[in-house]
Amino acid sequence: MILLRRLLGDVLRRQRQRQGRTLREVSSSARVSLGYLSEVERGQKEASSELLAAICDALDLRMSELLREVSDELALAELAQSAASDTVPPPMRPMLNPVRVTSVTSRPDSVTIKAPAEAVDVVAA
């Protein structure tokens, strides 16, 4: 089973580490106890939207960016889970830009998805 709180914690930890910051620094800036932030990063606690907003502010990170990265990881985890069970569940809602996947390769620590180059839209930020 894919746990959203674990994916969320992984992304928060990576963001913090990319900035070279400690748990203590971020917890102080977010006004969250060090122990609670640690539990959130390890996926042991569900963070409220208010707590996520405080952590994002402390990391100078937009919540939409955090949730986008979590969403991308969730999609990959679902694909890996589907590949492992040899079934592909139908999408819950229509995709905006459907992509024809030509192959999915799953390894213990990663998933590779191949699609024709012309199927991918690139948008400059």
Side-chain angles (χ1 to χ4, degrees), residues 46-121:
E46 296 272 355
S48 68
S49 57
E50 291 86 359
L51 179 66
L52 284 177
I55 296 168
C56 285
D57 285 344
L59 292 170
D60 196 28
L61 173 69
R62 290 184 181 165
M63 193 179 306
S64 60
E65 293 171 9
L66 169 70
L67 296 176
R68 185 176 303 117
E69 192 171 338
V70 170
S71 176
D72 291 346
E73 289 200 12
L74 179 59
L76 290 174
E78 288 172 337
L79 279 172
Q81 197 173 49
S82 295
S85 66
D86 293 331
T87 61
V88 177
M92 297 302 289
R93 60 180 171 81
M95 295 191 315
L96 296 176
N97 295 320
V99 174
R100 183 175 54 88
V101 175
T102 57
S103 70
V104 176
T105 306
S106 178
R107 287 182 276 161
D109 61 343
S110 66
V111 175
T112 303
I113 300 171
K114 293 185 180 176
E118 66 275 2
V120 179
D121 293 330

